[in-house]
Amino acid sequence: MINGAQALMESLKREGVERVFGYAGATICPAVDALAATGIAYTLVRTEQNAGHMASGYARMMGKPGVCMVTSGPGATNLITGIATAYMDSIPMVAITGQVQSYLLGRDIFQEVDITGACAPFIKHSYLVKDANDIPRIVKEAFHIASTGRQGPVLIDIPIDIQQQMIDPVYPDSVDIRGYKPSVKGNDVQIKRVAEAISAAQKPLLCVGGGLFSAKAQEELVTLCEGARIPVVTTMMGLGLLPRNHPLNLGMIGAFGTPTANRALNTTDLLIIAGARAADRAVTSPKEIASRTKTVHLDVDPAEIGKNFSTTVPVVGDVKVILGQLISHRPKAQSEAWIADLQARRQAETLPAPAPGNGSVTPSYLMRTLGEQLDDDACVCVDVGQNQIWAAKHLPMKHGRFLTTGGLGTMGYSLPASLGVKTAVPDRQTVVVCGDGSFQMFENELATLKAMGTDVKIVMVHNGVLGLVHQIQYSSYSGPFGVDLTGSPDFEKLAEAYGIPSKRISDDGEVDSAIRDMLTASGPYLLICDVDPMTTTSMT
């Protein structure tokens, strides 16, 4: 006989869990006690939200659910933002929360909160465990649900008395959930229609998003776009699917995308959306585009098809399998003139290097220089705001990963996500790009960074304001209000307090050597780059 907490940990081991990110509290203590005896590694975060972000970064690199575990009440509510961030970006995660005694539920006792109800709008599924005998089955189902179909977070809420309940557990070998059978293979008739449409097109375009990373379909993407001669644009979540210098990669679409990518989107005669929802940030006028071109949408989630775009040919299934089916038809578009025109336009977009001596750092030059010096397979974890847009537009990805929060847009995401990345792939070069506003939302995790002994590098775009809101207020309202970051700490001294070396630069002439020094330094490093607060992110 063992207790429910021990059965929970044995179930996690059987699912191949190697690490849990979390923050302990009274109602999760039985599970933490059982965890200590399992051999599963544990990372203590400094606030619960970041347990979700770390699990997300880990999941995105490992291709399997990340696991986070916190206590009830404020521990669980603090985790909500991490859960919602993973849900919006379709990241597989299993979140475990402690709960007050099951026989006291509904009485508003100390640190009780209805976390399953609170998370209902933005979670794939949730469980409130009422009998410890159900734990092995629930864990098995949770991992299956999180990692299949449209991936996402699953919550398991376990009252403390259920964790302490003694049982003789039975561990299932398989999962059979009534009504949950995600599509895998695309409909053959629809696939044939798509292949025929490609072969008839003169201006075909592939728009790809983060769903291709989830499906591990990068190889199929390259095979299809090269074989069928289809140029590619990406959403922000799709950055890194193709190297920036790939001849068929036109860059990111949207208000802050590249001119050539947006021109292609607005002139294509066949738009194929794969693994992307193409929401408002990526496509500002979907009705106008859909009214004049044939549109194909490939997605594992039928609810996504037609949500933002009217679709001529919908195909539901695993995008890796669907692309493989398409490749087997060997379609080839009549697109050489179209590709040549787009490649010439893309080449003309290259910006000249700024002249040094202007007293501040030019963000586009900073990002280009950083990208050029990164390892071929580097992971770049980017926060939200102007820093995100500058990095998305100007940082050249090679064969690495560009990780950011595209759906919820959660400030403070980048450093905890990077710690999840380094846990998954410790030998991969990992760099954080953030603003001074977002830095102050995660600075407590510098302690976790130091405790882990890992070598994440942090590039801070420092302009003393909440940059993107500051820009919006200047352009559309009465002027900036409530966005001045006066009172911020001396970031160099703060880094020093954590034992992290740092450097501050304020001129483009310092950028190249400063990045080189940062990347060759041993251990973590903070590079603070002073940017004029009036520098804007230009819209396309």
Side-chain angles (χ1 to χ4, degrees):
M1 298 283 285
I2 60 175
N3 64 27
Q6 292 168 319
L8 171 66
M9 293 304 147
E10 177 60 27
S11 298
L12 293 182
K13 286 184 69 175
R14 288 169 181 253
E15 294 301 319
V17 174
E18 298 170 340
R19 180 173 295 268
V20 172
F21 304 91
Y23 202 102
T27 65
I28 200 65
C29 271
V32 173
D33 188 62
L35 173 64
T38 63
I40 297 174
Y42 181 71
T43 296
L44 171 66
V45 300
R46 292 333 191 239
T47 190
E48 291 89 352
Q49 172 177 316
N50 293 330
H53 296 333
M54 289 186 199
S56 172
Y58 179 89
R60 292 173 77 169
M61 297 309 299
M62 293 295 286
K64 65 179 185 179
V67 179
C68 50
M69 185 170 71
V70 302
T71 194
S72 63
T77 57
N78 282 348
L79 183 61
I80 284 177
T81 300
I83 291 172
T85 301
Y87 178 78
M88 291 289 285
D89 290 336
S90 304
I91 308 302
M93 177 192 298
V94 173
I96 300 167
T97 52
Q99 183 56 276
V100 302
Q101 291 92 333
S102 59
Y103 53 87
L104 294 176
L105 286 170
R107 300 188 186 183
D108 295 330
I109 69 166
F110 180 67
Q111 291 196 333
E112 178 191 356
V113 68
D114 178 9
I115 191 62
T116 57
C119 290
F122 41 78
I123 198 159
K124 192 171 180 186
H125 194 64
S126 62
Y127 296 90
L128 172 59
V129 185
K130 298 179 180 179
D131 183 344
N133 287 290
D134 294 332
I135 288 175
R137 172 187 59 79
I138 285 173
V139 170
K140 192 77 175 175
E141 289 181 1
F143 276 81
H144 178 70
I145 293 170
S147 59
T148 55
R150 178 185 171 186
Q151 298 178 356
V154 176
L155 172 67
I156 305 175
D157 190 36
I158 314 181
I160 185 171
D161 59 312
I162 302 301
Q163 297 175 50
Q164 295 167 332
Q165 178 187 344
M166 300 304 293
I167 60 171
D168 188 7
V170 177
Y171 300 98
D173 294 324
S174 60
V175 172
D176 185 16
I177 304 172
R178 184 185 301 170
Y180 181 73
K181 305 293 180 190
S183 298
V184 176
K185 184 182 177 184
N187 180 276
D188 289 330
V189 174
Q190 297 294 75
I191 293 291
K192 184 178 179 182
R193 288 180 64 192
V194 177
E196 290 172 347
I198 292 172
S199 295
Q202 295 183 353
K203 296 181 178 181
L205 186 67
L206 261 169
C207 174
V208 295
L212 271 75
F213 282 120
S214 298
K216 303 180 180 69
Q218 296 98 308
E219 184 178 334
E220 286 78 7
L221 170 63
V222 173
T223 301
L224 179 64
C225 75
E226 291 180 348
R229 304 303 292 159
I230 309 176
V232 176
V233 297
T234 76
T235 63
M236 187 176 287
M237 295 299 290
L239 288 169
L241 283 167
L242 287 179
R244 176 69 69 92
N245 62 0
H246 191 286
L248 293 174
N249 185 0
L250 305 180
M252 185 178 72
I253 56 172
F256 299 102
T258 69
T260 303
N262 283 318
R263 178 180 177 81
L265 182 65
N266 285 290
T267 55
T268 178
D269 62 5
L270 175 65
L271 176 62
I272 304 171
I273 303 171
R277 68 168 62 92
D280 61 311
R281 213 178 189 199
V283 182
T284 55
S285 54
K287 289 184 179 179
E288 190 276 329
I289 294 171
S291 69
R292 57 168 174 72
T293 189
K294 182 176 289 187
T295 306
V296 174
H297 198 167
L298 321 176
D299 205 286
V300 72
D301 184 359
E304 289 298 323
I305 294 178
K307 180 189 287 186
N308 297 309
F309 253 98
S310 296
T311 304
T312 310
V313 186
V315 186
V316 178
D318 184 303
V319 72
K320 182 183 178 75
V321 175
I322 292 172
L323 292 181
Q325 290 176 269
L326 271 176
I327 291 165
S328 70
H329 284 269
R330 299 187 178 179
K332 188 163 186 178
Q334 304 168 49
S335 56
E336 291 310 318
W338 157 254
I339 290 172
D341 176 66
L342 293 173
Q343 288 175 338
R345 292 176 183 275
R346 182 73 168 128
Q347 186 66 30
E349 289 176 5
T350 305
L351 297 174
N358 58 4
S360 67
V361 173
T362 304
S364 58
Y365 178 63
L366 171 68
M367 298 303 165
R368 291 207 314 276
T369 306
L370 174 62
E372 289 164 359
Q373 293 195 27
L374 290 176
D375 290 349
D376 185 76
D377 65 347
C379 300
V380 183
C381 298
V382 184
D383 226 281
V384 174
Q386 287 181 319
N387 66 90
Q388 182 189 50
I389 295 165
W390 284 321
K393 285 188 72 168
H394 302 293
L395 197 154
M397 295 301 298
K398 301 164 191 171
H399 294 91
R401 288 292 303 270
F402 185 100
L403 275 64
T404 192
T405 161
L408 198 62
T410 307
M411 287 180 66
Y413 171 85
S414 57
L415 180 63
S418 77
L419 298 180
V421 168
K422 286 299 274 187
T423 303
V425 284
D427 295 331
R428 293 271 286 271
Q429 187 183 59
T430 304
V431 175
V432 164
V433 173
C434 65
D436 44 341
S438 52
F439 182 92
Q440 291 178 78
M441 288 195 172
F442 66 57
E443 63 187 19
N444 51 351
E445 298 301 341
L446 292 176
T448 312
L449 170 60
K450 192 65 180 177
M452 289 176 63
T454 192
D455 61 343
V456 171
K457 316 298 186 186
I458 304 170
V459 178
M460 180 200 295
V461 176
H462 177 269
N463 57 11
V465 294
L466 299 178
L468 190 55
V469 183
H470 180 267
Q471 175 180 330
I472 293 169
Q473 289 177 335
Y474 251 112
S475 64
S476 304
Y477 297 93
S478 303
F481 178 81
V483 292
D484 192 311
L485 290 173
T486 298
S488 296
D490 182 324
F491 294 110
E492 292 170 281
K493 288 184 178 178
L494 179 65
E496 183 182 1
Y498 285 100
I500 297 172
S502 65
K503 184 173 184 176
R504 187 168 189 159
I505 61 174
S506 56
D507 192 272
D508 289 324
E510 302 173 275
V511 167
D512 187 78
S513 61
I515 290 175
R516 187 176 301 107
D517 291 345
M518 174 188 70
L519 295 178
T520 55
S522 176
Y525 193 101
L526 172 63
L527 177 61
I528 306 162
C529 306
D530 289 330
V531 170
D532 186 334
M534 296 305 295
T535 304
T536 62
T537 53
S538 58
M539 296 181 69
T540 305

